Amino acid sequence: MNTNMAVCIAVIAKENYPLYIRSVPTQNELKFHYTVHTSLDVVEEKISAVGKALGDQRELYLGLLYPTEDYKMFRKLHNSFTDVMCNPFHNPGDTIQSKAFDGIVSGMMVQTA
Amino acid sequence: MAQCVQSVQEFVQDSFVPMVAVLCSEEAERVTRKNNLNFAELLRPFCRLTSEGHIRDPSNQLQVVKNLRICVNNLVTSPTTTSTSLSPAQRQLLSDVVSSCQPQESAVTNVVMAGDYELNFSVTTPWFEAYRENFLQSMPASDHEFLNHYLACLLVVSSTEAVPVEQFLKLSQEQHRIQHSGEYTNPKWFIPNTLKYYVLLHDMCEGDEQRADVVYEDMKQKYGSQGCYLLKMNSRTFSANVDEQIPDPWSQYLHKNNLHNQVNIANSSTCTGCFKYSCNNYSLEGHPLQLDSSMANLHNLSAVHTDLKKGAKDSNSPACAAGSHGACLTLNDHDYIRQFIQEFTFRGLLPHIEKTIRQLNDQLVSRKGLSRSLFTATKKWFGGGKAPEKSISEPKSTCGLLYPPEAPELQIRKMADLCLLVQHYDLAYSCYHTAKKDFLSDQAMLYAAGALEMAAVSAFLQGGASRPYPAHYMDTAIQTYRDVCKNMVLAERCALLSAEILKSQGKYSEAATLLIKMTSEDSDLRSALLLEQAAHCFINMRNPMVRKFAFHMILSGHRFSKAGQRRHALRCYCQAMQVYKERGWSLAEDHINFTIGRQSFTLRQPEEAVTAFRQILINDSRQTAKQQGAFLREYLYVYKSVLGGNEVSLPQLPLPCIHSSATRVYFGHERRLAEGEKQAATHVSLDQEFDQDLSAMWCHLEEQLVASANGGVVPVNFQPTQCCLNSQTDNLRHPLAVVEEPIIVEVTFRNPLKVSLALSSLSLLWRFTVDGSSSSKEMTEETITNEETSAVGVGNMNKYALRNCDLFSPFRNHMDFLLFTDQQTLDLMVRGKQDLNILGPRLNLTKEDKMSVRHGPDRRLNPIITAPMPLMEVFFLQFPTALLCGEIRKAYVEFCNVSGVALCGLRVVSTHAAFFTFGSQATTPLSPTSAENCSPYKTVATPLQRASEATESLVSADDFRQPSGVIEIPIDGSILQPGQSTQLPLWLRGPDQEGVHEINFLFYYESAEKGLKISHRVLRHTVFICASRSLSIQASACRSSVPPHHCLDEKGSSGTLVFIDVENINTNEGGVREFHIVQVSSSSQHWRLHKYINPNKDKECKLGSRERAKLCFRAIFSEHEFHSSESQGSVPTENRSSDLTDIAKECSELDLNIIVIWKAYVVEDNKQLILEGQLHVALQTIGKEATSLTAKEVPQEMVLLKFKSDLPPPVILPSAEFCQLIKTNLHYPETCTHPFVQESLCLVPVTLTLSNCSLAQVDVIIDLRHKSSSPESLEVHSSFAWVGQSQYKLQLKPKEVLCLTLQACFLQAGVYNLNTPRVFAKPSEQSIMCETSQQTATPALIVISNA
């Protein structure tokens, strides 16, 4: 049984465009895109709240947007994302096209049938 | 939530106003109809009171009533009871209201900046307000609240009535019957004894005013002056007042109703049930939904109805002409009406309310003895309460118990409602609060929710800081309405109020949550509107939530489209698009675009639809192939419908993508490959890829040509000719195209989709501008495509060359190209065009360039058409592809002038200047066909000589002179007339290096006319020649040792021996049989071959495969040149020492070119061919070997970095020049027979001749001793000894020849090398005693035989 069960994982640039987005039930892709995009408002809200409270103390994990997320998952994803960013051939701001990252994400996704 | 026109207070207050019913007599109705209005409508614009009223509350406090509005409605009875949802008719009405209220095109839109988003949308939503207003007004009256129950009834009778008082009585009875007979549950009445107000309507134009006054006096007697009124109106006639401008206050209240009617009328033909709605023209406030079953008060309904129907059929009927309300009313009449309302409200209505409140209060006070809780407690204890029984007996009560209308619990609510209506909010709140507690304890949920709602409302309206607004009351009320009572209408009303109030308090987030909660499946329209308001809430938050705004806009748009509100749906999607656009959310973007496209199309805005669909196709789509196919099909369908029959102006097609920078433009005809056996010059074609090096090479060649044509100077404005322009060529200038010559444009397409596209009938559009005049024409040139229909496959890159033919005007023109394509997918085919706009290279010079993205111009597609130019074609005949190295072959070249202009100045340049030369027509008049075996060499008859003697022929130096690589082509008259062609023989010589050679020719010609825009034209030709090995010739020269005075046939003192090694290195053994050396010549200014020294004389030199031959010649210094050499001897002696080195160098210099002419016998296809050729060897220095094969250049390897210092330079050896100061020569008998038996020692005299070649005095040392270290010393027995003086020291004067007689002693028979004396020499003036060996290596053999 896979404990990591995400249905959609997205990495969004700070300019609000998706660097990477993938969802498992492909027939509902559009819905997930809309959801992810809309949830950015919540993220933004949280970021501004964090910024006020903690100053420059950088805690990248914003906490639970909704109580369905797993911290470990975030850390894993973030590490992989850092790897992608460290790639000297990666142009920051480009969409992520990394097999390794893809693999990590796939591992976190729901195994369908 | 969007901004509203009304303030919140106003809105909430206006939501709850006193209701007044109207009962009209037929006659009164007729009077008001003159104004195209009924009585209630007539009053409506004046229902807001401008002056303040006063009311005394139960505690006798004076309460001010400000800005009161009353609602006057015609009394309409309907059997429908309270319902928990809207009837279909109501829904229809609301839907019509919403759809009729669209944002104006010119409506002010606000720009909202949120983060990096810039949103442009209207902050007001009038459709929502219209919906809300209509919704609140169409609220069915319910039993649990009294707010929209009628408080009073106006009984209207006309003064023209026969007996008005009777009419009043009749109407009064009618009202009583409606209220008390129990026949009708609707309308509902506030209290049993409704206020009746008697209005006598007097038409000033018709009736007798005095009579009216009399009747009015009568009425005052009967009903009291507070209960009746005389309203005079219609002061003017309809026709008389057309030109007068009287404001029409009705229009803003009635136009919506009219609209509804028109909608309904339009619908009535299809929907039989709909016709009844038309009566709402006469029932006020848009209540068409209360269908009347009773005709009692609307006798005229059917008449009016038919009237309306007529109106619907005949739209010219004045009754239906909008905007003609109140035509018979003057401004004074308006004032009368206003006074009437004021009188009615202040004298009739407010005192009535005041009285009622007082009564209710008294009732409540009388019961105050018992506390409320005790009261309910007793009720429970004794079980005597009727309420619980009711709740059991009434099965339809879904939300707790229902009270009977006169239940005491309801009295307090009634009082609260009254207080609210007259703006006594403080009292209202406390009453609601009390009522709420009662209802809750009774578990009467509907009542409790109502009380909660109104408590919140009154608390809000109370304002000030006296009581905080209880938002949770509203939430509870909404929840109760929705979940417990299942009454969505009430829940919606409550939500609308609550949201508006929350909005006014800045609680946008809460308002949004509330509104979103209210969306449900039962009403798409409501959900759409509320979602839209929620979206507005998100954007209005302190930190605007742009994405939530967008998302809810999309949801709203979706619901709007489900509700059939296409325009609103489109607007919502468009607003949301602003957030999603160009931010990488391609799936969402595609979805929105697709919806926008669909909606626009159904709304008959196909242009917008096309734009939206276009976006989907242009963007790099992440959709599946199937989806893309669907999008494409939809797009094509819409596109086609947009086009319709209009094919004049073609719209832009989004597909396929044109790689405009990859566009190549070719000027000129497509080259002919070959014409019979003629082979055309390759020139430039589109098949060739651009090569930077090649183009630089061609440019360099062209420069040479232009320089030669302009007397050796390249003009300043020289620009290399560019035939084929692409992204790498210099496109800054306008290219020059010649009139009547085609221009070929190659376009590269890419299909970004996963489905294939079929393209057909591609053609090129162009625009032609005549210089000087601004007229421009757009023309289509029917063009040729390679294929009829070509499918651009998935993700493929296809290239098409499009031909654009024959430009006719010889003026300067500009052309812009457009691509014109047909697109076809399955059955759908559309026509469109795509612009070819080429961006130039990105600029990177100035700071501005670097900071921003700027592109330079690219004028590839903007050629200037110039006057006719000559056009030459070059053909080659019998041009070989393979040659032996050095082979001489004849080919023919033909120059054709295919244009209408004479050409001249024909020149050619090549990368391999030695490869070819032109023969003139005169010297070789043979036609190519007869030249089968013609030799390139002329056979000259020479007088028979000794074979060893060489013939001499002097060739003038002019024949060899070639100033540069440029050759002027010798054509007759040097002008080629139009249509003329000329053929010249071309001599080719195989390159010396074996292998494949690329040889480039560049032909140059210019027009016979001067001063044209194009100064010259060029034609390129590239050939590949495969050179195979033939002979290898190695030649070396060495000094003849013969001293000058020994020479027999003296011609000069000096002679050189030339040794030529000829080797057949041909590898093709089957092909080439043998080589014959036919002739060896020297080509030199100083030297000539003098004598052929060959052991086996008179034999022709033949070389089979891999054979080698050695030829030996003596070359002598030619005579006249010798003189000049002698003149050198008079060089002053002072200079001698200084340029001694030079002199010595000069001595060894040799400028001798050896030409070896050979014949090769080749068998090819069982036919013997004789090939002829010549090889050249350039002898530069004596002693150095030269070969015909220039040593293959070993590519210089990269020099590795060295960190160690180089080795110290080797000890300087005496320079080689001094080695040959002295020429030595041994003279001795070749053979010597000596009887060793008789005499053991054989002495042979040997003469050593020393000749000083130099012009300096030389000291010479001759040492005869054998070198001790020499390896020969081991074989002492085989050696010989010099006898006599073993060392000589001599001094030789310049050019002196000295003979020394030596004696050699041999011990036994054998062959000996006599060349052992070591000769050292040094110029005597040289101070250094370094003497150099003057040894010559050549052995001097002597044969000693035993006798």
Side-chain angles (χ1 to χ4, degrees):
Chain A
M1 193 56 198
N2 199 340
T3 48
N4 292 322
M5 295 207 292
V7 283
C8 179
I9 286 177
V11 180
I12 312 291
K14 66 178 192 301
E15 289 84 9
N16 281 323
Y17 60 88
L19 291 173
Y20 183 92
I21 185 157
R22 187 151 156 231
S23 52
V24 164
T26 41
Q27 69 274 17
N28 261 341
E29 233 178 333
L30 178 64
K31 189 188 112 190
F32 282 120
H33 283 213
Y34 274 131
T35 313
V36 168
H37 183 257
T38 307
S39 67
L40 294 180
D41 276 328
V42 183
V43 174
E44 199 175 271
E45 203 174 54
K46 292 227 176 199
I47 288 170
S48 60
V50 165
K52 265 178 228 155
L54 300 167
D56 59 348
Q57 194 182 333
R58 290 281 170 100
E59 172 55 54
L60 295 167
Y61 184 58
L62 289 174
L64 306 175
L65 301 180
Y66 291 98
T68 46
E69 220 179 310
D70 188 351
Y71 193 10
K72 269 183 192 164
M73 195 158 106
F74 173 76
R75 191 184 291 165
K76 212 165 150 190
L77 186 71
H78 190 262
N79 285 345
S80 184
F81 176 70
T82 316
D83 289 347
V84 171
M85 288 297 137
C86 291
N87 180 357
F89 298 105
H90 179 78
N91 195 3
D94 284 359
T95 51
I96 296 172
Q97 282 163 331
S98 150
K99 269 184 194 164
F101 189 79
D102 225 29
I104 296 278
V105 167
S106 303
M108 294 191 219
M109 294 280 205
V110 172
Q111 309 289 307
T112 42
Chain B
M1 204 165 202
Q3 290 172 14
C4 294
V5 180
Q6 285 178 301
S7 76
V8 197
Q9 270 80 10
E10 236 180 314
F11 158 67
V12 178
Q13 193 182 312
D14 281 358
S15 304
F16 306 104
V17 292
M19 301 279 284
V20 176
V22 171
L23 265 182
C24 260
S25 74
E26 221 172 305
E27 194 58 26
E29 186 70 41
R30 189 189 60 78
V31 170
T32 54
R33 276 250 56 92
K34 279 187 181 176
N35 294 304
N36 199 16
L37 296 162
N38 64 27
F39 189 73
E41 282 173 338
L42 183 76
L43 299 186
R44 188 154 310 144
F46 311 101
C47 278
R48 189 174 292 282
L49 296 166
T50 46
S51 50
E52 286 182 5
H54 298 280
I55 195 164
R56 285 189 183 278
D57 69 356
S59 52
N60 228 16
Q61 293 285 314
L62 197 67
Q63 195 76 29
V64 182
V65 181
K66 266 187 253 173
N67 200 23
L68 183 70
R69 191 173 76 96
I70 60 166
C71 178
V72 184
N73 279 342
N74 264 6
L75 193 57
V76 180
T77 53
S78 105
T80 47
T81 52
T82 51
S83 74
T84 54
S85 64
L86 295 176
S87 66
Q90 276 174 308
R91 286 173 183 234
Q92 183 60 45
L93 172 79
L94 289 174
S95 171
D96 292 342
V97 165
V98 172
S99 65
S100 69
C101 189
Q102 296 291 342
Q104 264 87 53
E105 292 292 317
S106 58
V108 189
T109 57
N110 295 48
V111 178
V112 174
M113 302 288 293
D116 48 352
Y117 293 93
E118 188 184 317
L119 305 178
N120 203 351
F121 62 93
S122 158
V123 289
T124 57
T125 49
W127 50 91
F128 172 68
E129 282 168 69
Y131 169 86
R132 193 170 63 181
E133 191 189 332
N134 279 278
F135 170 77
L136 290 175
Q137 282 167 358
S138 65
M139 281 288 296
S142 65
D143 287 326
H144 77 287
E145 59 180 17
F146 305 94
L147 288 164
N148 49 4
H149 292 195
Y150 286 112
L151 263 169
C153 186
L154 292 175
L155 306 173
V156 187
V157 166
S158 170
S159 61
T160 52
E161 213 89 44
V163 192
V165 182
E166 240 171 69
Q167 276 295 330
F168 277 126
L169 203 64
K170 223 167 111 189
L171 288 177
S172 176
Q173 281 165 357
E174 174 72 23
Q175 191 276 329
H176 192 265
R177 191 179 65 83
I178 291 170
Q179 186 176 1
H180 296 288
S181 69
E183 273 178 60
Y184 312 105
T185 53
N186 252 352
K188 293 188 188 297
W189 302 90
F190 213 102
I191 46 172
N193 63 343
T194 306
L195 171 71
K196 285 174 196 158
Y197 198 81
Y198 302 88
V199 182
L200 184 65
L201 204 59
H202 177 67
D203 191 326
M204 301 289 274
C205 302
E206 279 183 42
D208 180 1
E209 199 170 344
Q210 282 180 352
R211 182 169 174 261
D213 287 338
V214 170
V215 175
Y216 180 54
E217 285 304 318
D218 229 23
M219 285 162 65
K220 275 204 266 191
Q221 293 284 317
K222 198 169 178 186
Y223 307 115
S225 61
Q226 313 242 314
C228 56
Y229 197 82
L230 171 64
L231 179 61
K232 296 175 181 175
M233 54 178 278
N234 288 3
S235 305
R236 57 177 189 176
T237 51
F238 180 74
S239 55
N241 47 38
V242 186
D243 50 340
E244 265 183 75
Q245 290 294 320
I246 288 201
D248 180 7
W250 290 273
S251 57
Q252 57 170 314
Y253 290 92
L254 296 175
H255 74 275
K256 285 180 219 155
N257 281 0
N258 279 346
L259 190 106
H260 303 163
N261 289 331
Q262 276 156 19
V263 169
N264 291 338
I265 289 159
N267 287 347
S268 63
S269 57
T270 50
C271 170
T272 49
C274 278
F275 76 94
K276 280 189 176 170
Y277 298 135
S278 55
C279 71
N280 76 352
N281 206 14
Y282 310 109
S283 71
L284 292 198
E285 289 288 293
H287 280 224
L289 329 156
Q290 300 166 337
L291 303 179
D292 18 21
S293 55
S294 154
M295 288 300 173
N297 62 332
L298 290 169
H299 321 283
N300 52 352
L301 180 72
S302 55
V304 174
H305 183 70
T306 46
D307 198 44
L308 245 176
K309 283 219 152 174
K310 215 162 56 186
K313 277 166 199 147
D314 178 16
S315 56
N316 295 329
S317 145
C320 267
S324 60
H325 302 294
C328 298
L329 299 175
T330 60
L331 286 175
N332 278 339
D333 291 336
H334 292 186
D335 285 341
Y336 291 149
I337 298 170
R338 203 169 283 126
Q339 277 169 21
F340 160 65
I341 296 285
Q342 200 157 332
E343 190 76 7
F344 162 69
T345 313
F346 293 155
R347 296 284 183 76
L349 189 62
L350 286 183
H352 175 70
I353 292 172
E354 189 181 313
K355 200 177 75 194
T356 317
I357 291 175
R358 215 174 279 273
Q359 279 173 4
L360 288 167
N361 192 47
D362 289 349
Q363 277 181 35
L364 289 170
V365 168
S366 68
R367 278 196 308 205
K368 256 212 175 127
L370 291 130
S371 84
R372 269 324 287 172
S373 53
L374 191 62
F375 181 73
T376 38
T378 4
K379 239 185 353 191
K380 276 178 191 161
W381 291 337
F382 296 107
K386 57 240 160 233
E389 289 161 35
K390 269 270 174 195
S391 71
I392 297 156
S393 62
E394 297 256 349
K396 74 170 187 177
S397 121
T398 50
C399 42
L401 108 166
L402 289 176
Y403 296 103
E406 295 307 319
E409 287 86 350
L410 287 183
Q411 300 311 307
I412 191 163
R413 161 85 209 213
K414 212 174 251 185
M415 179 172 148
D417 282 350
L418 275 177
C419 291
L420 183 80
L421 291 178
V422 294
Q423 306 176 2
H424 197 333
Y425 301 120
D426 197 13
L427 187 56
Y429 177 77
S430 55
C431 291
Y432 281 128
H433 202 259
T434 321
K436 176 204 81 174
K437 278 194 245 165
D438 284 352
F439 294 140
L440 274 177
S441 62
D442 286 350
Q443 286 296 302
M445 293 317 286
L446 179 64
Y447 295 86
L452 275 170
E453 179 188 358
M454 294 321 292
V457 166
S458 46
F460 171 72
L461 286 174
Q462 212 174 339
S466 59
R467 193 171 280 115
Y469 169 69
H472 59 282
Y473 279 18
M474 280 292 195
D475 297 340
T476 319
I478 294 169
Q479 206 180 342
T480 313
Y481 280 141
R482 195 182 54 209
D483 301 340
V484 182
C485 311
K486 311 278 180 222
N487 190 329
M488 284 311 283
V489 181
L490 288 170
E492 187 180 347
R493 181 187 70 180
C494 193
L496 288 175
L497 291 168
S498 176
E500 193 63 37
I501 292 166
L502 286 171
K503 188 189 86 176
S504 75
Q505 295 172 331
K507 294 174 180 164
Y508 287 106
S509 173
E510 288 85 346
T513 319
L514 182 75
L515 291 167
I516 293 164
K517 263 195 220 161
M518 276 310 292
T519 59
S520 62
E521 285 307 308
D522 63 329
S523 168
D524 286 321
L525 182 65
R526 184 187 65 221
S527 303
L529 286 162
L530 295 189
L531 281 169
E532 191 185 6
Q533 292 306 312
H536 280 282
C537 284
F538 284 122
I539 202 76
N540 283 326
M541 286 169 71
R542 193 158 3 100
N543 295 317
M545 292 189 154
V546 187
R547 293 153 284 254
K548 281 202 168 186
F549 161 77
F551 183 59
H552 287 94
M553 270 297 175
I554 288 168
L555 293 179
S556 166
H558 177 66
R559 299 306 285 266
F560 267 129
S561 76
K562 270 173 85 181
Q565 302 279 355
R566 291 218 172 85
R567 258 169 220 290
H568 286 294
L570 180 59
R571 184 181 43 73
C572 286
Y573 276 107
C574 287
Q575 283 176 4
M577 191 62 194
Q578 299 176 40
V579 175
Y580 285 95
K581 200 158 74 184
E582 284 155 21
R583 282 176 195 272
W585 296 92
S586 63
L587 277 188
E589 214 180 321
D590 287 353
H591 170 244
I592 298 169
N593 267 323
F594 182 70
T595 321
I596 289 176
R598 274 237 163 132
Q599 297 290 3
S600 303
F601 185 65
T602 44
L603 286 169
R604 305 225 171 79
Q605 299 173 335
E607 281 83 9
E608 282 83 351
V610 167
T611 320
F613 280 122
R614 211 183 134 79
Q615 281 298 326
I616 308 178
L617 298 176
I618 287 175
N619 287 346
D620 256 346
S621 177
R622 285 185 58 183
Q623 308 283 359
T624 57
K626 200 177 151 197
Q627 192 67 50
Q628 284 184 347
F631 283 155
L632 182 65
R633 186 184 288 268
E634 195 98 5
Y635 170 73
L636 291 177
Y637 179 75
V638 171
Y639 185 96
K640 203 171 182 184
S641 70
V642 170
L643 272 183
N646 172 28
E647 296 227 338
V648 181
S649 62
L650 288 163
Q652 295 276 321
L653 286 176
L655 291 169
C657 294
I658 293 184
H659 273 239
S660 54
S661 67
T663 304
R664 292 201 292 170
V665 185
Y666 181 84
F667 298 97
H669 293 277
E670 274 180 291
R671 88 190 168 92
R672 269 183 279 170
L673 281 169
E675 195 174 79
E677 57 180 358
K678 289 178 184 176
Q679 185 191 350
T682 52
H683 200 43
V684 189
S685 80
L686 282 169
D687 306 332
Q688 297 162 355
E689 291 297 321
F690 181 77
D691 185 321
Q692 197 72 50
D693 298 339
L694 266 182
S695 110
M697 186 271 294
W698 286 118
C699 180
H700 176 69
L701 289 179
E702 192 175 341
E703 240 171 73
Q704 288 180 22
L705 284 169
V706 171
S708 110
N710 287 287
V713 190
V714 181
V716 200
N717 58 352
F718 165 73
Q719 292 284 358
T721 311
Q722 289 176 325
C723 263
C724 180
L725 296 175
N726 57 32
S727 53
Q728 284 148 297
T729 51
D730 170 27
N731 302 324
L732 283 173
R733 290 172 301 124
H734 287 284
L736 297 171
V738 178
V739 72
E740 286 179 12
E741 282 181 26
I743 296 169
I744 300 173
V745 180
E746 186 193 75
V747 185
T748 308
F749 299 135
R750 189 176 65 89
N751 179 8
L753 297 185
K754 292 167 186 148
V755 288
S756 58
L757 282 173
L759 305 179
S760 62
S761 326
L762 276 80
S763 48
L764 210 52
L765 290 173
W766 45 270
R767 190 167 45 241
F768 177 78
T769 318
V770 178
D771 197 35
S773 68
S774 58
S775 73
S776 79
K777 293 182 275 184
E778 196 161 312
M779 288 194 238
T780 347
E781 195 69 51
E782 209 46 60
T783 57
I784 310 146
T785 50
N786 296 342
E787 296 140 87
E788 269 302 295
T789 306
S790 44
V792 181
V794 179
N796 274 357
M797 298 273 276
N798 287 22
K799 287 181 179 180
Y800 294 104
L802 299 169
R803 275 175 55 113
N804 196 350
C805 297
D806 301 337
L807 306 165
F808 297 104
S809 176
F811 302 106
R812 193 187 133 130
N813 309 296
H814 289 280
M815 294 180 65
D816 305 304
F817 289 96
L818 307 158
L819 186 70
F820 175 69
T821 44
D822 281 6
Q823 238 178 50
Q824 185 180 11
T825 298
L826 304 170
D827 49 336
L828 281 165
M829 177 164 140
V830 296
R831 266 168 103 75
K833 67 176 179 188
Q834 273 185 290
D835 280 347
L836 269 177
N837 290 322
I838 305 180
L839 274 184
R842 191 174 160 191
L843 300 175
N844 202 20
L845 286 173
T846 60
K847 194 187 172 204
E848 285 75 31
D849 291 344
K850 286 171 187 168
M851 301 285 280
S852 58
V853 180
R854 286 191 191 178
H855 291 271
D858 193 306
R859 304 208 167 88
R860 248 179 275 179
L861 291 173
N862 305 319
I864 294 169
I865 312 297
T866 63
M869 281 294 292
L871 184 67
M872 182 179 75
E873 282 183 17
V874 175
F875 297 100
F876 294 90
L877 284 88
Q878 296 179 345
F879 204 89
T881 55
L883 287 172
L884 291 169
C885 290
E887 184 186 339
I888 303 286
R889 187 75 73 86
K890 188 181 191 181
Y892 289 85
V893 59
E894 188 179 312
F895 301 99
C896 290
N897 184 355
V898 293
S899 68
V901 183
L903 64 88
C904 63
L906 199 55
R907 284 175 174 80
V908 69
V909 73
S910 169
T911 46
H912 293 62
F915 177 66
F916 71 99
T917 186
F918 287 100
S920 67
Q921 292 275 33
T923 50
T924 43
L926 296 165
S927 70
T929 43
S930 66
E932 194 90 342
N933 272 321
C934 110
S935 161
Y937 301 106
K938 247 193 293 187
T939 311
V940 185
T942 50
L944 200 66
Q945 285 184 348
R946 275 190 294 159
S948 59
E949 289 293 315
T951 54
E952 280 177 44
S953 60
L954 283 173
V955 185
S956 74
D958 287 347
D959 288 351
F960 296 94
R961 199 163 54 85
Q962 270 182 25
S964 70
V966 178
I967 302 171
E968 286 186 36
I969 297 167
I971 49 169
D972 286 336
S974 74
I975 285 183
L976 210 54
Q977 293 300 332
Q980 202 186 346
S981 72
T982 184
Q983 214 172 47
L984 282 180
L986 185 68
W987 292 104
L988 305 173
R989 180 174 172 275
D992 290 323
Q993 210 76 45
E994 75 160 313
V996 178
H997 296 260
E998 182 185 332
I999 296 165
N1000 297 305
F1001 295 92
L1002 191 66
F1003 294 95
Y1004 169 101
Y1005 57 99
E1006 51 196 41
S1007 174
E1009 296 173 47
K1010 298 294 167 200
L1012 295 173
K1013 193 141 188 98
I1014 303 177
S1015 62
H1016 65 274
R1017 305 189 88 174
V1018 290
L1019 181 71
R1020 297 177 186 179
H1021 181 58
T1022 303
V1023 286
F1024 290 90
I1025 291 290
C1026 179
S1028 48
R1029 286 198 274 184
S1030 53
L1031 293 174
S1032 154
I1033 295 174
Q1034 289 180 323
S1036 60
C1038 59
R1039 285 202 177 83
S1040 137
S1041 308
V1042 181
H1045 65 269
H1046 278 269
C1047 290
L1048 292 172
D1049 37 6
E1050 191 66 33
K1051 274 200 175 164
S1053 62
S1054 166
T1056 300
L1057 291 180
V1058 178
F1059 300 98
I1060 301 173
D1061 279 331
V1062 185
E1063 190 184 358
N1064 179 358
I1065 52 167
N1066 189 281
T1067 45
N1068 183 7
E1069 286 167 25
V1072 183
R1073 281 273 170 78
E1074 55 184 11
F1075 284 96
H1076 289 215
I1077 306 299
V1078 179
Q1079 186 185 327
V1080 177
S1081 330
S1082 86
S1083 156
S1084 170
Q1085 288 187 327
H1086 310 291
W1087 297 89
R1088 54 200 175 89
L1089 293 179
H1090 175 59
K1091 203 173 176 185
Y1092 174 43
I1093 311 158
N1094 201 1
N1096 41 353
K1097 293 177 180 177
D1098 300 337
K1099 255 188 152 181
E1100 221 179 340
C1101 181
K1102 288 180 189 170
L1103 289 169
S1105 184
R1106 292 278 167 197
E1107 272 182 354
R1108 196 179 172 134
K1110 200 174 184 98
L1111 303 172
C1112 191
F1113 294 92
R1114 166 172 293 180
I1116 55 166
F1117 218 75
S1118 74
E1119 215 164 27
H1120 66 283
E1121 288 299 327
F1122 190 61
H1123 290 306
S1124 69
S1125 170
E1126 259 187 342
S1127 68
Q1128 262 191 345
S1130 62
V1131 173
T1133 44
E1134 292 90 65
N1135 291 343
R1136 243 177 242 167
S1137 62
S1138 61
D1139 52 8
L1140 188 71
T1141 328
D1142 297 330
I1143 291 164
K1145 210 184 254 174
E1146 226 166 66
C1147 283
S1148 59
E1149 245 173 42
L1150 192 67
D1151 180 24
L1152 180 59
N1153 287 317
I1154 307 287
I1155 303 169
V1156 177
I1157 298 175
W1158 47 261
K1159 266 185 189 169
Y1161 291 86
V1162 179
V1163 179
E1164 206 173 73
D1165 302 332
N1166 295 325
K1167 246 169 77 183
Q1168 183 163 320
L1169 287 175
I1170 299 171
L1171 303 176
E1172 287 171 305
Q1174 62 186 42
L1175 290 168
H1176 307 249
V1177 183
L1179 279 170
Q1180 297 296 335
T1181 37
I1182 289 173
K1184 254 190 196 166
E1185 203 167 63
T1187 63
S1188 63
L1189 294 167
T1190 46
K1192 264 186 194 161
E1193 276 181 38
V1194 180
Q1196 183 95 45
E1197 275 180 45
M1198 265 210 272
V1199 183
L1200 292 171
L1201 281 177
K1202 280 179 189 167
F1203 297 102
K1204 288 179 194 167
S1205 63
D1206 280 318
L1207 289 168
V1211 181
I1212 301 159
L1213 292 168
S1215 54
E1217 289 85 46
F1218 295 115
C1219 296
Q1220 282 165 4
L1221 287 172
I1222 301 292
K1223 206 188 225 177
T1224 59
N1225 230 334
L1226 287 167
H1227 288 268
Y1228 53 89
E1230 275 179 26
T1231 54
C1232 184
T1233 314
H1234 181 79
F1236 281 100
V1237 184
Q1238 285 101 18
E1239 202 178 342
S1240 58
L1241 288 178
C1242 168
L1243 288 174
V1244 179
V1246 175
T1247 316
L1248 175 67
T1249 316
L1250 297 167
S1251 40
N1252 182 2
C1253 307
S1254 67
L1255 298 171
Q1257 209 166 33
V1258 176
D1259 291 334
V1260 182
I1261 299 170
I1262 301 153
D1263 191 358
L1264 297 177
R1265 287 171 299 180
H1266 288 291
K1267 262 188 277 177
S1268 58
S1269 60
S1270 89
E1272 285 99 322
S1273 63
L1274 294 170
E1275 301 166 68
V1276 170
H1277 64 277
S1278 65
S1279 71
F1280 67 100
W1282 294 102
V1283 286
Q1285 191 181 350
S1286 65
Q1287 202 170 23
Y1288 299 85
K1289 255 188 189 169
L1290 301 162
Q1291 196 171 53
L1292 287 175
K1293 289 183 184 78
K1295 298 263 175 195
E1296 195 189 334
V1297 178
L1298 203 81
C1299 291
L1300 269 180
T1301 313
L1302 309 171
Q1303 270 201 318
C1305 176
F1306 300 94
L1307 296 173
Q1308 49 185 275
V1311 180
Y1312 296 88
N1313 182 6
L1314 287 177
N1315 197 3
T1316 57
R1318 285 175 292 160
V1319 182
F1320 301 95
K1322 80 169 181 66
S1324 42
E1325 281 164 24
Q1326 211 88 345
S1327 54
I1328 42 152
M1329 285 309 288
C1330 170
E1331 288 166 344
T1332 24
S1333 164
Q1334 304 289 309
Q1335 194 104 20
T1336 49
T1338 38
L1341 298 178
I1342 184 164
V1343 181
I1344 307 292
S1345 50
N1346 202 350

